[in-house]
Amino acid sequence: MNNESTNQNAFGMIGLGTMGANLLQNIADHGYNCAGYDTNYNKVDSLNQLDYNNIHGYSTIQDFANSLKSPKTVMMLVPAGKIVDVVINELLEVLDKGDIIIDGGNSHFTDTERRYKDLESKGYHFIGMGVSGGEEGARKGPSMMPGGDKNAYEKISPILEKIATQVNGEPTVAYMGARSAGHFVKMVHNGIEYAIMQLISETFEIMKKGLQMDDKEIEAVYAKWNEGRLKSYLIEITRDIFSYIKPGDKHLLLNNIKDEAKALGTGKWTSQAAMDLGLPVPVIDVSVGMRDLSRYKDLRIEASKIFPDSPNNEFRGKADKYISTLESAYYFGMVSAYAQGMHLLYHANQEYKYNLNLDTIAKIWRGGCIIRSEFLEDIYAAYNKKPELKHLFLDISIHDDLISSTPNIRAVVADASRSGIAVPAFSAALSYFDNFRLETMPTNLVMAQRDYFGSHTYELNNKEGVFHTQWEKLVDAENSTKKPLS
């Protein structure tokens, strides 16, 4: 292993945790000389102990920078937040104008927007890049969502395209769009991830409590689902979770895991961004909410003692006959989760002028990332066929699948409610669909109420203008003309 500063390293990495170290090995495997830097000497030493002669670890940022070819390319894989700004400021002391800085962490898109403008004004090229696939993806091929300086992306794209997963001969990386587009796309990816994980957990609850199935039977269901149209990374790992027993134990590790969810905040960011744009993503919203509720474990234990469980959680009918109904209902919910995420991207593109291509996003999500699935081929086909498609529900093929699945999600939501089993994501997916397809919603009553108590005005269906009514005077006048009942 050669640790000399040769000024020949094509790529630099700051942050040598598992993700950073794995990504460097991926880059080195494709023939590039690369450098790593971390303030933790043990991580630097571990990197230098790897059996590579084209990976070089450095414990000072100056030596690290000196080892890079100009124009220098440096990627940060550090925790989102203030530390990113700290590292950028350190880099500006050792880099030159015209060098490329990549933030590969889960930064909030508003922070990326600010950093992009600041670094551009100072003469540096900045790329905010979402990276999905976890530790294994970093090592074997992630899905990457870079946005920002397009010219800088074109310079580094040969490296990124080689280290990305390949699907049908195409790399799962592409330029997303201007400024903070890459991190916005990654944020939405994570929101969809929240939603799908919640939907899967609800199928588990239905099989366990409603259908009274044991762990082996549930494992078999997920295994079968992963062979058909539900094939996806998240179903695949769920299958594996239902087969893992620690040595010496007699039951699944899953059964020992506490039911309190942790989160890094990216799902919440998706909901907040959607609310800021005035756009509904209810399956994502409720999935964030359920993780929050899970953390109130003590409160839930207290409530469980005073609110008795449903007298009969068991669904009517036999499990083997009901599983096809549940599969169809899950498909419906999954489609809704993706559709809401893509709809958010559609409107963010208009609001923030990102110049996103939704077909490209679907294409790079087909492999390497956490939400990769068979269904993404359908999403890619829909937007490839009609780039201006406003909503996935309007694609004819997806429309037909939703129609055929609707009776089954209605059955699952009704049966779960009757049996006292919570299925908030399924319910949100169904309610969203039922309102989406209405020409007339009952929101006219909401507008009348707002005008009554707050003079907020309203519009009329067949008349131009904005109107306000003195509701109380009309009601008082009406009441004064009524004769008392004899």
Side-chain angles (χ1 to χ4, degrees):
M1 151 64 242
N2 177 12
N3 194 32
E4 296 179 359
S5 297
T6 61
N7 297 316
Q8 290 302 307
N9 292 318
F11 197 95
M13 178 71 67
I14 295 181
L16 299 179
T18 305
M19 281 286 291
N22 280 0
L23 205 58
L24 277 180
Q25 291 175 77
N26 188 351
I27 294 169
D29 285 340
H30 287 86
Y32 293 98
N33 287 352
C34 47
Y37 164 72
D38 201 294
T39 56
N40 185 324
Y41 177 78
N42 290 331
K43 291 181 178 179
V44 175
D45 187 56
S46 295
L47 187 72
N48 284 330
Q49 296 303 317
L50 295 174
D51 189 22
Y52 284 88
N53 56 17
N54 58 342
I55 296 180
H56 316 282
Y58 299 91
S59 55
T60 73
I61 197 166
Q62 185 68 67
D63 290 343
F64 164 78
N66 289 343
S67 78
L68 299 171
K69 289 196 291 188
S70 291
K72 297 167 181 157
T73 299
V74 177
M75 179 173 175
M76 300 175 292
L77 269 176
V78 298
K82 292 182 179 179
I83 191 171
V84 177
D85 292 312
V86 170
V87 174
I88 287 175
N89 287 333
E90 291 177 351
L91 277 172
L92 296 186
E93 296 294 323
V94 297
L95 295 183
D96 301 312
K97 291 183 178 181
D99 288 343
I100 301 169
I101 300 173
I102 306 167
D103 177 11
N106 269 329
S107 289
H108 195 284
F109 77 97
T110 56
D111 288 334
T112 303
E113 191 83 12
R114 167 179 57 80
R115 290 165 185 148
Y116 175 85
K117 292 175 181 177
D118 179 60
L119 289 168
E120 182 183 45
S121 70
K122 294 175 180 176
Y124 297 89
H125 303 290
F126 185 63
I127 293 174
M129 183 169 74
V131 180
S132 181
E135 298 172 4
E136 182 181 3
R139 185 69 186 86
K140 299 180 180 178
S143 175
M144 293 170 284
M145 295 147 258
D149 192 308
K150 190 172 185 180
N151 290 331
Y153 170 72
E154 289 174 353
K155 290 178 182 177
I156 65 171
S157 61
I159 295 177
L160 298 182
E161 289 177 1
K162 285 187 178 180
I163 66 173
T165 292
Q166 306 293 311
V167 176
N168 300 329
E170 298 177 300
T172 55
V173 62
Y175 179 72
M176 294 289 95
R179 307 178 320 280
S180 58
H183 276 139
F184 194 97
V185 171
K186 178 56 162 57
M187 178 191 70
V188 174
H189 165 286
N190 288 10
I192 296 170
E193 178 185 308
Y194 271 62
I196 294 175
M197 292 171 73
Q198 177 65 29
L199 286 163
I200 294 174
S201 75
E202 291 176 18
T203 65
F204 164 46
E205 187 82 335
I206 288 169
M207 286 188 277
K208 181 181 178 181
K209 289 186 177 179
L211 300 176
Q212 305 289 304
M213 296 169 63
D214 62 32
D215 293 335
K216 276 293 180 186
E217 291 172 323
I218 295 173
E219 178 195 358
V221 169
Y222 289 127
K224 184 177 180 180
W225 284 1
N226 199 51
E227 295 172 355
R229 64 176 178 171
L230 302 187
K231 181 178 176 63
S232 66
Y233 175 73
L234 286 170
I235 290 290
E236 176 187 319
I237 67 170
T238 303
R239 174 203 66 193
D240 294 345
I241 288 167
F242 273 89
S243 66
Y244 185 79
I245 299 174
K246 288 181 67 175
D249 284 352
K250 295 183 179 180
H251 56 262
L252 297 179
L253 171 61
L254 173 66
N255 296 330
N256 290 339
I257 295 177
K258 195 174 184 180
D259 60 327
E260 290 187 56
K262 300 294 191 296
L264 296 176
T266 50
K268 177 182 71 176
W269 293 347
T270 309
S271 291
Q272 289 173 333
M275 289 181 184
D276 288 342
L277 290 170
L279 183 138
V281 288
V283 182
I284 295 172
D285 293 342
V286 78
S287 301
V288 174
M290 288 304 101
R291 289 202 193 186
D292 291 340
L293 180 59
S294 76
R295 291 197 287 271
Y296 291 88
K297 178 72 172 179
D298 292 341
L299 187 60
R300 290 189 288 116
I301 291 173
E302 186 177 350
S304 70
K305 296 175 181 176
I306 62 173
F307 294 104
D309 202 357
S310 173
N312 180 18
N313 277 332
E314 189 171 355
F315 281 24
R316 291 175 294 186
K318 294 184 178 179
D320 57 348
K321 294 182 179 180
Y322 202 89
I323 290 301
S324 61
T325 299
L326 184 59
E327 185 270 351
S328 180
Y330 171 76
Y331 178 83
F332 185 105
M334 177 193 69
V335 171
S336 187
Y338 279 111
Q340 289 170 33
M342 299 305 287
H343 192 214
L344 175 54
L345 289 171
Y346 179 89
H347 279 274
N349 193 37
Q350 294 182 321
E351 179 70 19
Y352 301 132
K353 312 300 181 187
Y354 281 145
N355 198 29
L356 300 175
N357 293 307
L358 299 191
D359 63 328
T360 299
I361 295 170
K363 181 169 73 171
I364 68 165
W365 282 353
R366 293 178 304 166
C369 72
I370 302 300
I371 64 170
R372 61 185 183 264
S373 68
E374 195 75 14
F375 180 62
L376 274 160
E377 293 287 355
D378 296 337
I379 300 177
Y380 174 49
Y383 285 109
N384 189 253
K385 177 176 60 180
K386 190 175 182 181
E388 71 279 8
L389 183 67
K390 294 180 180 179
H391 197 287
L392 271 178
F393 284 2
L394 302 181
D395 178 79
I396 189 62
S397 298
I398 292 172
H399 160 274
D400 292 346
D401 287 340
L402 284 174
I403 293 297
S404 64
S405 300
T406 301
N408 294 313
I409 193 170
R410 293 196 191 286
V412 166
V413 170
D415 290 340
S417 177
R418 188 183 303 110
S419 300
I421 295 174
V423 287
F426 277 104
S427 299
L430 180 58
S431 293
Y432 176 80
F433 171 77
D434 280 336
N435 277 288
F436 181 88
R437 66 189 181 84
L438 288 180
E439 181 178 347
T440 303
M441 291 173 61
T443 319
N444 54 335
L445 176 56
V446 174
M447 295 306 295
Q449 292 168 331
R450 292 179 75 248
D451 190 57
Y452 193 120
F453 68 68
S455 301
H456 293 298
T457 72
Y458 55 84
E459 297 177 18
L460 295 173
N461 288 324
N462 300 313
K463 190 174 182 180
E464 291 293 325
V466 177
F467 301 90
H468 167 60
T469 295
Q470 297 290 334
W471 298 90
E472 291 182 352
K473 291 182 180 179
L474 289 175
V475 172
D476 289 343
E478 177 70 17
N479 288 338
S480 67
T481 63
K482 290 181 179 178
K483 296 180 179 179
L485 294 174
S486 57

